[in-house]
Amino acid sequence: MAVVAPKRISQGLGSSIGGFLINGVLFPIDLVLFLFNLLTPDHKAGHVIPEGHPGFGGKWPGYVPPGDDDSRCSCPALNAMANHGILPHSGRNIPFRELGRLVRETYNFAPTFCFFVPNYAANMLNRNYWKDSFDLADLDAHNCIEHDASLVRVDANEDPDQGKIAQHLVERVLAAGTGKNGNLTKKDLSRLLGERRVESKQNNPKFSLATVHRMFGSSNASTMLTIFGGRMDDLRPFLTEERLPDGWESRIRHRMGLTIFEFNTTVLPVELGIRAEVDGAIEAAGRDRYSQTVAQGKKKA
Ligand SMILES: *[C@@H]1O[C@H](CO)[C@@H](O)[C@H](O)[C@H]1NC(C)=O
Ligand SMILES: *[C@@H]1O[C@H](CO)[C@@H](O)[C@H](O)[C@H]1NC(C)=O
Ligand SMILES: *[C@@H]1O[C@H](CO)[C@@H](O)[C@H](O)[C@H]1NC(C)=O
């Protein structure tokens, strides 16, 4: 016991206790931060990033596109950090523990979010959040974190290299804004996500999308509305080159950043607004593919 207990604690205590910590500790703290944000004035525009940190005064460290040996992944936000050298440019050997702090300083997510996501990722990859490191490409183990029907990547079945930007899909996102000045809205995102789910179901014989991955998908897509404020002139370099434009800072200017609770107020309406999930379009796409497969089989025979 004297030996085992400290070892277990140092190993992060496994997922059963993990669930309790998340619901019983992390979410209440998140709610406190949300209230704190409500009660304190936001940072002034241009002052989100503290002095001495990358991006202060709108100056991001130099952008260098990835080389052949650099590790990249399906997430534009993390790739952009590596392209600017905020994460190692190689995209390799990143301690899970470091990731949260750097994401917070770059995008102004709340500390709770920045603990939750890398911790979740470490658990999914069977690694230890406190001690282990990862390469960006490790995050693309299919159906752990990476999943089908991405807005900016083809499905892994079509191309296992999920670090590769699918420019034709990106252009679709950039053309989809129906808000003021062509900004992206929640409705636009629901529509785009629905289209991609239908398409993937139709074209990808290995398509799958568990509920947790649906929520994941609408969460990372919602980053474009929250952190980027839906603005296409910022989203264009971010999505096409995975670059943070000069002078850019997070549109979330709260002192404690974007809490999970506040994020949910965008993510849930986006996910629940996906019409293709209820009007039968996804099932119909599945039947379509089935009959095409049968027809092809007959032609071959
Ligand atoms: C959300 O992010 C994951 C991991 O980067 C990616 O695999 C997935 O396709 C993304 N979802 C959407 C809807 O873009
Ligand atoms: C839309 O984007 C423009 C700049 O691209 C910005 O000035 C404007 O405030 C945005 N509108 C809304 C409603 O966010
Ligand atoms: C956010 O939404 C998720 C998914 O519905 C839920 O599990 C979680 O409890 C919510 N968290 C907060 C802090 O609102």
Side-chain angles (χ1 to χ4, degrees), residues 89 136 181 185 242 258:
H89 190 266
L136 287 178
N181 296 323
T185 67
E242 300 186 333
L258 181 59

Side-chain angles (χ1 to χ4, degrees), residues 12 14-15 18-19 21-23 26-27 78 95-97 99-100 111-130 134 138-147 210-217 219-220 260:
S15 53
L21 284 180
I22 298 291
N23 289 312
L26 192 76
F27 285 164
L78 296 182
F96 285 101
R97 252 166 68 162
L99 181 67
T112 38
F113 180 94
C114 293
F115 174 78
F116 181 73
V117 175
N119 190 268
Y120 184 88
N123 283 338
M124 286 304 275
L125 297 174
N126 261 322
R127 297 195 197 163
N128 185 313
Y129 170 82
W130 303 101
F134 68 101
D138 295 345
L139 299 177
D140 289 345
H142 187 55
N143 277 346
C144 285
I145 297 161
E146 189 280 322
H147 56 257
T211 302
V212 56
H213 293 129
R214 289 188 159 85
M215 291 309 300
F216 239 151
S219 301
N220 41 8
I260 300 171

Side-chain angles (χ1 to χ4, degrees), residues 33-262:
L33 298 183
F34 171 78
L35 294 173
F36 182 89
N37 280 337
L38 280 184
L39 296 172
T40 51
D42 280 353
H43 291 297
K44 282 199 228 104
H47 291 80
V48 172
I49 295 175
E51 196 163 352
H53 291 280
F56 170 70
K59 289 196 187 67
W60 293 100
Y63 166 85
V64 180
D68 288 341
D69 289 337
D70 295 326
S71 183
R72 293 293 182 270
C73 66
S74 50
C75 174
L78 296 182
N79 291 345
M81 288 172 70
N83 292 340
H84 285 279
I86 299 166
L87 291 173
H89 190 266
S90 66
R92 295 181 196 278
N93 278 316
I94 303 164
F96 285 101
R97 252 166 68 162
E98 280 287 286
L99 181 67
R101 178 179 62 83
L102 293 169
V103 166
R104 180 162 55 81
E105 289 170 3
T106 305
Y107 296 110
N108 200 22
F109 278 102
T112 38
F113 180 94
C114 293
F115 174 78
F116 181 73
V117 175
N119 190 268
Y120 184 88
N123 283 338
M124 286 304 275
L125 297 174
N126 261 322
R127 297 195 197 163
N128 185 313
Y129 170 82
W130 303 101
K131 288 195 301 203
D132 292 341
S133 301
F134 68 101
D135 295 351
L136 287 178
D138 295 345
L139 299 177
D140 289 345
H142 187 55
N143 277 346
C144 285
I145 297 161
E146 189 280 322
H147 56 257
D148 287 337
S150 165
L151 293 184
V152 292
R153 298 292 189 263
V154 300
D155 286 354
N157 186 48
E158 187 179 333
D159 189 345
D161 179 2
Q162 288 288 301
K164 219 184 276 167
I165 305 169
Q167 298 291 356
H168 65 291
L169 295 177
V170 166
E171 288 302 330
R172 193 193 297 179
V173 172
L174 294 174
T178 62
K180 197 175 133 207
N181 296 323
N183 295 3
L184 206 59
T185 67
K186 287 184 192 144
K187 262 195 185 146
D188 298 332
L189 260 197
S190 301
R191 193 181 64 247
L192 283 166
L193 287 164
E195 274 172 26
R196 288 291 295 140
R197 289 177 193 182
V198 168
E199 260 173 28
S200 287
K201 178 86 183 180
Q202 178 145 30
N203 302 325
N204 178 358
K206 297 212 176 120
F207 174 77
S208 65
L209 202 59
T211 302
V212 56
H213 293 129
R214 289 188 159 85
M215 291 309 300
F216 239 151
S218 36
S219 301
N220 41 8
S222 293
T223 303
M224 298 194 282
L225 296 181
T226 50
I227 303 294
F228 284 86
R231 294 175 189 226
M232 294 300 186
D233 40 359
D234 293 335
L235 285 169
R236 175 165 287 282
F238 177 67
L239 295 177
T240 61
E241 301 170 76
E242 300 186 333
R243 176 168 70 79
L244 299 172
D246 286 336
W248 183 82
E249 68 176 10
S250 176
R251 297 288 165 186
I252 299 291
R253 291 194 272 109
H254 309 322
R255 286 175 190 260
M256 284 295 144
L258 181 59
T259 57
I260 300 171
F261 186 81
E262 183 182 356

